[in-house]
RNA sequence: GGGGGGUUAGCUCAGCGGUAGAGCUCCUGCUUUACACGCAGGUGGUCGCAGGUUCGAUCCCUGCACCCCCCACCA
């Protein structure tokens, strides 16, 4: 065997692909090569076509799970695809400080050491969080590198970096000056465990079986008093009124009277309020607790009621609760219920209602009256709605548009202050005289009265307040930095639909308001990863760690699996079986490459295939390759990663490996064909391999780069090599038809052997009749006789009408005859019967259709014609099969 | 209370007007000069139920059943 110069050049030692495919042996190496070569940084001149994404910054709470890997894989596929298409690609990495979530992680860590953060003090605590953040960031970064994400690490950002913090502060001050940020005492969602306010979105409602308590209040002059219903009886201690509907006859006798609050003995007015009270609902009387219910608070404002806070920030009853002070709210509830029963004032019935829980720690949320900062959101929502209406921003899949509109149109003010230590401190300063200053720079003295010192607000901002600025704060905004001018607005945002409101909607509002531009033009909302149909959770133990999966199957296989699982649905199902399947595919490609490279014998990268005559299989595979390239590009442009993956998978495995490689072996080995044919074929073979590698690179970057290196001797350059588009390559429909017919014939021969129960090598005689239904095709079959003989292991193919003794059938429009010398006892009779029955059934159905005048009349002519042809085909097959039976 | 999605082969999912596909599983053969993580065949589906529209429905419409998700100030 001649030496392959590609494999033997001195500097090419080890260029041969090892026999076994071991992804772990090269994956990390290629990542370093790409990174060191600056491939992840945008190249090319400003102004040329660019593609920009920002990563949804993962929380620095721990490590990434497979759901993150899924989103990042999608982004990396887009990034690599666009990069190979020649665009200046920038994908910005970073992490989110995730205020409440990260603080919780640290609190738990401290708790394990028996430390309460309050013992530590704010400064020491925050120091520890920073240390943790640095650790978590490293872990996350390593995970994304291992996955192959082509992120530009020179531009990595963190939401609490100095310049990003500056952006936050700038935005806060601007909104404050515009009157869109205000401070006030309102009833907010309060988590007694986290001891902070949370926004409406951070409250998770769950249907819960509980009780409805009906409490009778004494009313002077009314014998039966007034009965109110509540699910939280302990709040009655804070009642400052009862409310009735002004037009409800049931409660008219209570109007203007005074009730006595049980236990407490406080006299409270009975007021009419049409807004709070629903005429039809319950007893018609409502207890009013302005400090612990948002509706009651609003009612209190309308009627100038006082607010009595009876439950404190830690969930324990306050001094206002009298004898219950210091008790946990639920213990207080039990005791109050007991007391009211004792006093014969209470009836209890089972009741199912929705109870709010803290998104982070699952503690039951307590509505709580406190001083908070809010964003007046409606003025920001309008432009954000219009940007989607007018197509400036589009959602993929489009169905999210409606959800977005629904939420935006019913949007409520956003509580942005958090009573936490980890996060952006609110830039509001109060002097000794109570003047409040909000400013970008820390003031040294009060601008109003000149007094000093000033105390900064101790609260921090909701994490999402900084995340909403991410698409522009990462570029240094509000400074007009070169990066901001060059890369903003971004192009595509990829994220899970679960943060559509938390993040996406707010980025759109913030982007439009502050930069005057939509932060991105396309939002791809993907589903959430499920394992075996269940949501991933630590308690269920079904969490897949991306690193473990990568260790077992290789990063390429994990990525390919995730891409293949991508669908437009709300859930993305990932299974181990899929991972193994992808790994098998990677191995398949590896072996196909080994075979191809070992067959090249010095063939260089084909620059131009047009100068040599191409065989029918050559033209077929090149046509299929171009088709696959077009499909992959089309599917990627439609965010159909599953379809794109399936297209390239089917091409590589079923067309290239199962088809072309097998067809070509006799010529390659020298058993058949001319030297010229061999030369030509090698060029085609290499072209197919290289284009497959390119098409597959966005999905399986490591393996493809490894093979590319061995095939071309240009290490680390596939990542920036042109992506095949298949444009301008005409479909070789004649070659496709002939080759597909060959494959169908070969399958039929194998089938026939199976039916006869003979071995795969049993000599079979094959007749292909020139008098076939498709004569044109039949006339071309003699030219591919060697292929038929080789693939079907058929000693002789005869181009004449089959003898009566042969088994007859019609395949792909060709009338054929088959005969085996020695059939075993098991004949194909049963299968032929089955085939005939199927033909009969279909024939019946179709001919009934053809007899229907309105079908002929109304169906498109093409459909009618197709049906007619199919009928003819069935007739011929039926005739052939029946005739072939003895 | 409002809104959205789902129900297709044993499993996980594509398809969404012209009588169904993939991967995995399963069955039967096979050391065919890349690959047993393979090759070649094959089994397997009244496309949730009932109506309607249509020449024709898994695909469109209506209703029902079961499942999932989101939103909501459900005393």
């Amino acid at each position: 065997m001649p030496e392959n110069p590609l494999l033997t050049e001195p500097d090419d030692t080890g260029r041969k692909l090892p026999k076994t495919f071991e992804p772990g042996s090269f994956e990390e190496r290629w990542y370093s090569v790409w990174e060191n070569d600056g491939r992840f940084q945008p190249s090319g001149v400003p102004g040329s076509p660019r593609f920009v994404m920002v990563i949804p910054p993962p929380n620095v709470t721990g490590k990434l799970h497979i759901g993150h890997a899924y989103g990042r894989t999608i982004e990396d596929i887009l990034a690599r695809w666009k990069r190979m298409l020649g665009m200046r690609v920038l994908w910005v990495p970073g992490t989110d400080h995730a205020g409440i979530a990260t603080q919780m992680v640290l609190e738990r860590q401290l708790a394990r050491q028996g430390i309460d953060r309050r013992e530590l003090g704010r400064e020491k605590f925050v120091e520890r969080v920073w240390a943790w953040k640095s650790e978590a960031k490293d872990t996350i970064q390593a995970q994304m590198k291992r996955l192959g994400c082509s992120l530009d690490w020179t531009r990595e950002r963190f939401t609490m970096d100095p310049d990003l913090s500056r952006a936050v502060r700038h935005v806060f001050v601007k909104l404050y000056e515009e009157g869109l940020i205000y401070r006030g005492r309102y009833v907010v969602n309060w988590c007694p465990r986290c001891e902070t306010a949370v926004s409406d979105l951070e409250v998770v409602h769950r249907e819960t079986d509980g009780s409805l308590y009906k409490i009778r209040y004494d009313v002077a002059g009314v014998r039966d008093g007034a009965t109110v219903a509540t699910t939280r009886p302990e709040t009655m201690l804070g009642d400052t009124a009862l409310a009735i509907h002004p037009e409800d006859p049931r409660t008219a006798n209570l109007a203007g009277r005074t009730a006595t609050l049980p236990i407490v003995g406080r006299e409270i007015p009975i007021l009419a309020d049409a807004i709070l009270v629903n005429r039809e609902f319950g007893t018609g009387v409502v207890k009013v607790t302005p400090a612990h219910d948002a509706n009651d608070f609003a009612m209190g404002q309308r009627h100038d009621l006082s607010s009595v806070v009876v439950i404190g920030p830690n969930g324990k009853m306050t001094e206002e609760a009298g004898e219950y002070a210091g008790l946990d709210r639920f213990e207080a509830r039990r005791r109050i219920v007991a007391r009211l029963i004792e006093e014969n004032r209470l009836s209890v019935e089972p009741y199912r209602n929705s109870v709010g829980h803290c998104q982070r720690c699952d503690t039951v949320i307590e509505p709580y009256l406190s001083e908070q900062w809010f964003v007046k959101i409606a003025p920001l929502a309008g432009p954000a709605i219009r940007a989607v209406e007018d197509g400036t921003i589009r959602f993929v899949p489009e169905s999210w548009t409606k959800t977005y509109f629904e939420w935006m149109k019913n949007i409520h003010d956003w509580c942005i202050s958090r009573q936490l230590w980890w996060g952006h401190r609110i830039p509001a300063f109060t002097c000794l005289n109570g003047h409040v200053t909000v400013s970008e720079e820390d003031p040294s003295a009060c601008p109003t009265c000149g007094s000093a010192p000033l105390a900064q607000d101790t609260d921090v901002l909701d994490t999402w307040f900084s995340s909403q600025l991410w698409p522009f704060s990462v570029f240094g905004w509000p400074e007009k930095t070169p990066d901001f001018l060059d890369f903003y607005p971004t192009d595509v945002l990829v994220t899970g639909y679960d943060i559509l409101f938390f993040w996406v909607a707010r980025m759109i509002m913030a982007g439009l308001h502050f930069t005057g531009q939509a932060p991105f033009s396309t939002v791809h909302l993907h589903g959430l990863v499920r394992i075996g149909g269940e949501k991933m959770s630590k308690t269920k133990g079904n969490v897949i760690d991306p690193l473990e999966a990568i260790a077992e199957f290789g990063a390429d296989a994990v990525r390919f699996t995730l891409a293949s699982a991508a669908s437009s649905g709300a859930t993305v199902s990932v299974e181990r079986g899929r991972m193994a399947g992808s790994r098998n595919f990677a191995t398949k490609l590896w072996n196909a490459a080994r075979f191809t490279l070992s067959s090249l014998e010095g063939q260089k990268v084909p620059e131009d295939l047009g100068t040599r005559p191409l065989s029918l299989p050559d033209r077929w595979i090149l046509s299929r390759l171009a088709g696959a390239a077009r499909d992959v590009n089309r599917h990627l442009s439609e965010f159909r990663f599953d379809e794109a993956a399936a297209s390239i998978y089917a091409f590589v495995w079923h067309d290239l490996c199962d088809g072309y490689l097998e067809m070509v072996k006799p010529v390659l080995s020298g058993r058949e064909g001319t030297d010229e044919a061999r030369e030509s074929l090698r060029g085609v073979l290499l072209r197919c391999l290289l284009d497959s590698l390119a098409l597959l690179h966005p999905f399986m970057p490591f393996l493809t780069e490894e093979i590319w290196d061995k095939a071309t001797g240009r290490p680390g350059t596939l990542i920036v090599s042109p992506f095949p588009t298949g444009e301008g390559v005409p479909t070789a429909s004649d070659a496709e038809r002939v080759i597909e017919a060959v494959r169908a014939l070969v399958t039929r021969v194998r089938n026939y052997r199976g039916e006869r129960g003979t071995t795969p090598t049993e000599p079979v005689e094959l007749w292909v009749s020139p008098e076939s239904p498709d004569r044109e095709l039949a006339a071309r079959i003699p030219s591919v006789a060697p292929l038929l003989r080789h693939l079907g292991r058929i000693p002789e193919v005869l181009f004449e009408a089959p003898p009566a003794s042969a088994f007859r059938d019609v395949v792909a429009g060709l009338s054929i005859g088959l005969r085996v010398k020695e059939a075993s006892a098991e004949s194909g009779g049963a299968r032929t019967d089955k085939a005939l029955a199927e033909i009969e059934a279909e024939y019946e159905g179709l001919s009934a259709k053809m007899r229907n005048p309105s079908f002929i009349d109304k169906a498109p002519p093409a459909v009618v014609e197709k049906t007619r042809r199919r009928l003819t085909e069935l007739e011929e097959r039926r005739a052939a099969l029946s005739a072939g039976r003895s």
Side-chain angles (χ1 to χ4, degrees):
Chain A
M1 194 190 231
E3 294 276 66
N4 181 345
L6 261 183
L7 304 182
T8 54
E9 284 167 29
D11 57 333
D12 285 336
T13 344
R15 180 158 280 178
K16 206 165 172 179
L17 288 171
K19 186 157 194 293
T20 47
F21 167 57
E22 286 167 37
S25 66
F26 53 78
E27 290 184 341
E28 285 169 276
R29 181 163 46 84
W30 286 121
Y31 196 89
S32 305
V33 169
W34 294 324
E35 194 177 1
N36 293 338
D37 290 351
R39 303 300 190 194
F40 303 156
Q41 290 167 254
S43 63
V45 289
S48 58
R50 37 145 262 203
F51 181 77
V52 182
M53 294 185 293
V54 292
I55 197 173
N59 294 348
V60 287
T61 45
K63 53 186 182 181
L64 304 182
H65 54 71
I66 200 79
H68 292 109
Y70 170 56
R72 278 352 102 219
T73 295
I74 286 176
E75 281 167 336
D76 196 45
I77 288 170
L78 288 173
R80 288 177 184 271
W81 173 50
K82 299 283 186 184
R83 192 179 290 118
M84 291 174 79
L85 285 174
M87 301 177 92
R88 300 164 58 220
V89 171
L90 173 58
W91 182 20
V92 182
T95 43
D96 194 309
H97 69 280
I100 191 167
T102 309
Q103 176 156 336
M104 259 187 72
V105 169
L106 267 288
E107 282 174 4
R108 278 208 209 102
Q109 281 180 7
L110 288 175
R112 277 199 290 276
Q113 303 167 40
I115 307 171
D116 186 290
R117 77 175 147 95
R118 276 156 285 229
E119 297 166 27
L120 218 55
R122 183 165 189 157
E123 206 173 313
K124 282 260 183 318
F125 180 80
V126 169
E127 257 173 46
R128 289 209 185 199
V129 188
W130 274 105
W132 161 262
K133 170 256 161 186
S134 148
E135 205 178 300
K137 193 216 76 174
D138 288 349
T139 305
I140 289 166
Q141 189 180 58
Q143 284 182 299
M144 291 197 286
K145 288 184 172 185
R146 197 66 193 76
L147 230 206
C149 299
S150 56
L151 289 151
D152 182 357
W153 295 105
T154 65
R155 287 181 165 86
E156 187 178 14
R157 295 289 184 271
F158 175 60
T159 47
M160 279 169 69
D161 281 345
D163 45 345
L164 279 83
S165 297
R166 210 154 37 240
V168 166
R169 199 148 162 175
H170 176 79
V171 161
F172 188 96
V173 172
K174 184 145 193 273
L175 288 174
Y176 182 78
E177 285 168 356
E178 291 170 330
L180 296 178
I181 278 184
Y182 61 93
R183 182 161 74 156
R185 272 173 74 77
Y186 294 92
V187 170
V188 295
N189 303 299
W190 184 271
C191 174
R193 214 268 349 148
C194 303
E195 292 198 35
T196 179
V198 295
S199 73
D200 295 345
L201 284 177
E202 289 165 284
V203 179
V204 181
H205 293 275
R206 245 198 332 268
E207 286 287 311
T208 309
D209 285 313
S211 304
L212 186 66
Y213 303 88
K214 290 188 174 163
I215 310 171
R216 184 171 48 80
Y217 290 30
D218 291 332
V219 178
V222 180
R223 221 190 72 207
D224 295 333
T227 299
V228 302
T230 179
T231 53
R232 298 183 297 146
E234 68 280 6
T235 62
M236 56 119 12
L237 302 176
D239 288 358
T240 53
L242 292 185
I244 55 172
H245 193 279
E247 287 148 29
D248 188 346
R250 293 182 299 168
T251 54
N253 62 331
L254 295 172
R257 294 181 188 270
T258 300
T260 308
L261 192 57
I263 303 177
V264 181
R266 183 162 62 228
E267 298 289 308
I268 55 174
I270 299 176
L271 305 168
D273 191 281
I275 298 172
L276 181 70
V277 186
N278 181 339
R279 290 178 63 169
E280 276 76 42
F281 194 85
T283 60
V285 190
V286 180
K287 63 192 274 303
V288 183
T289 321
H292 293 288
D293 184 286
N295 289 320
D296 293 5
F297 179 78
M299 152 98 189
Q301 300 253 293
R302 289 193 291 275
H303 298 268
D304 202 23
L305 296 173
S306 61
S307 302
V308 180
V309 174
V310 294
I311 304 171
N314 54 0
K316 291 191 166 48
M317 305 307 285
T318 65
E319 291 305 317
E320 294 282 359
E323 62 184 279
Y324 301 99
L327 288 179
D328 177 79
R329 53 190 167 147
F330 296 116
E331 178 58 22
R333 177 182 298 178
R334 272 188 290 278
R335 295 200 189 182
I336 288 165
V337 165
R339 167 86 175 266
L340 291 172
I341 288 174
E342 221 169 84
E343 291 184 11
N344 200 23
R345 296 183 175 282
L346 187 79
S347 68
V348 186
E349 50 195 68
Y351 193 69
R352 192 170 170 78
N353 73 331
S354 179
V355 178
H357 293 74
C358 175
Q359 185 197 34
R360 291 297 161 187
C361 71
D362 211 39
T363 302
V364 173
I365 290 292
E366 197 66 44
Y368 176 64
L369 180 63
S370 54
E371 180 99 10
Q372 304 290 347
W373 292 88
F374 299 84
V375 173
K376 198 171 172 181
I377 206 89
L380 302 174
I385 290 170
R386 282 193 294 279
V388 174
E389 278 172 345
D390 68 19
T392 306
I393 297 173
R394 71 173 179 128
F395 289 99
V396 177
E398 200 222 325
S399 56
W400 289 107
T401 311
K402 186 175 178 185
T403 309
Y404 172 82
F405 284 144
E406 288 300 313
W407 188 72
M408 290 298 273
K409 285 171 182 167
N410 298 301
I411 201 161
H412 295 293
D413 283 3
W414 175 18
C415 175
I416 51 170
S417 46
R418 297 290 179 275
Q419 289 63 53
L420 300 169
W421 287 351
W422 176 242
H424 299 278
R425 202 73 183 262
I426 290 178
F429 303 82
T430 310
C431 76
L432 294 168
N433 298 319
H435 303 126
V436 175
T437 305
V438 168
S439 90
E440 288 198 48
E441 302 301 328
D442 289 5
S444 51
C446 176
T448 312
C449 66
S451 72
L454 291 87
Q456 185 171 3
D457 197 311
T458 55
D459 291 353
V460 301
L461 288 162
D462 180 4
T463 282
W464 300 104
F465 192 86
S466 56
S467 323
Q468 67 174 342
L469 313 177
W470 187 249
F472 39 100
S473 64
V474 295
F475 296 125
W477 182 92
E479 299 303 316
K480 293 257 186 297
T481 64
D483 266 13
F484 176 73
L485 295 172
D486 200 1
F487 299 118
Y488 185 84
T490 71
D491 294 280
V492 176
L493 182 89
V494 178
T495 193
Y497 68 82
D498 55 328
I499 52 175
L500 171 59
F501 306 142
F502 277 109
W503 194 44
V504 179
R506 286 167 178 164
M507 279 191 288
I508 295 173
M509 290 188 277
L512 289 166
H513 189 73
F514 296 111
T515 72
Q517 285 177 287
F520 29 72
S521 52
T522 303
V523 180
H524 175 50
L525 292 170
H526 62 243
L528 274 20
V529 172
R530 306 235 158 183
I531 312 295
E534 292 200 47
K535 201 169 175 176
M536 269 191 301
S537 81
K538 282 176 190 155
T539 49
K540 282 184 188 126
N542 61 354
V543 178
I544 293 185
D545 180 339
L547 288 184
E548 280 173 25
I550 287 171
E552 185 173 355
F553 300 105
D556 289 320
V558 170
R559 291 170 58 111
F560 196 81
T561 303
L562 293 172
S564 308
S567 70
S568 50
T571 62
V572 177
S573 211
V574 174
E575 295 178 297
R576 294 184 60 82
R578 289 295 279 250
M579 299 256 188
S582 301
R583 185 254 278 122
N584 296 353
F585 177 53
T587 311
K588 185 76 182 174
L589 180 70
W590 181 266
N591 284 304
R594 277 205 310 132
F595 175 78
T596 301
L597 295 184
S598 72
S599 312
L600 287 183
E601 297 183 7
Q603 184 83 37
K604 297 289 182 194
V605 181
E607 299 300 335
D608 181 13
L609 294 171
T611 58
R612 297 199 190 87
L614 295 172
S615 71
L616 215 51
D618 291 344
R619 295 205 298 121
W620 168 72
I621 196 65
L622 289 172
S623 182
R624 299 291 292 176
L625 173 64
R630 285 190 293 269
D631 288 346
V632 169
N633 280 283
R634 190 182 74 248
H635 290 133
L636 285 180
S637 67
E638 289 164 358
F639 296 87
R640 286 305 304 262
F641 303 94
D642 55 338
E643 296 284 1
S647 295
I648 183 63
Y649 179 99
F651 172 76
V652 169
W653 200 311
H654 301 305
D655 287 335
L656 187 58
C657 292
D658 294 345
Y660 189 68
L661 289 185
E662 293 304 326
M663 290 177 201
V664 127
K665 276 177 180 174
V667 181
L668 267 186
S669 70
R671 277 182 281 130
E672 286 179 17
T674 61
D675 284 348
E676 195 190 27
R678 206 159 9 261
E679 190 71 1
S680 158
L681 178 166
R682 285 186 185 135
V684 174
L685 196 49
L686 187 55
R687 172 86 283 141
C688 286
L689 175 67
L690 297 181
D691 278 8
S692 295
L693 293 176
L695 285 170
L696 213 37
H697 182 261
F699 303 87
M700 301 183 133
F702 299 111
L703 158 73
T704 50
E705 190 73 84
E706 173 74 8
I707 299 172
W708 177 268
D709 173 34
K710 303 298 193 276
T712 66
R714 298 199 294 261
T717 58
L718 176 56
I719 186 173
V720 288
S721 295
F723 195 78
T725 61
E727 296 305 326
V729 180
T731 302
S733 43
D734 65 318
E736 295 214 13
R737 246 180 62 234
V738 175
I739 295 297
E740 296 305 338
V742 166
R743 300 189 80 184
L745 287 174
V746 168
T747 296
R748 188 64 190 91
V749 170
R750 288 168 177 159
N751 238 322
Y752 174 75
R753 284 203 184 90
E755 288 161 14
R756 307 283 136 175
T758 63
T759 68
T761 48
E762 179 75 22
V764 167
E765 293 169 284
L766 169 65
W767 286 266
V768 178
S769 173
E771 305 296 308
S772 290
D774 191 339
R775 287 173 185 234
E776 199 188 325
L777 180 61
R780 302 199 56 175
I781 298 301
S783 70
V784 287
L787 262 187
L788 279 172
R789 283 196 294 264
H790 163 246
L791 293 174
R793 292 156 172 270
I794 305 161
E796 199 55 47
V797 185
L798 302 149
F799 298 95
E800 54 194 49
S805 61
F807 173 84
R808 279 194 269 153
D809 201 348
V810 180
V811 175
L814 300 170
S815 296
I816 63 163
L818 290 160
R819 192 164 66 191
V820 63
K821 294 242 162 61
E822 294 167 35
S824 74
E826 190 189 339
S827 80
R831 268 204 210 162
T832 305
D833 285 344
K834 194 183 166 197
L836 277 169
E838 278 169 7
I839 288 166
E840 201 53 47
E842 192 179 343
Y843 186 85
E844 273 313 306
L846 291 183
S847 51
K849 218 174 198 179
M850 293 300 282
R851 283 195 300 270
N852 182 348
S854 44
F855 173 69
I856 307 291
D857 204 38
K858 295 186 178 170
V863 172
V864 177
E865 180 50 31
K866 199 177 154 192
T867 308
R868 199 189 309 279
R869 274 205 309 273
R870 178 69 182 152
L871 265 178
T872 313
E873 203 177 314
L874 290 170
E875 276 168 11
E876 280 154 1
R877 267 210 87 195
R878 182 172 60 185
L881 284 172
S882 308
R885 310 199 66 201
S886 49

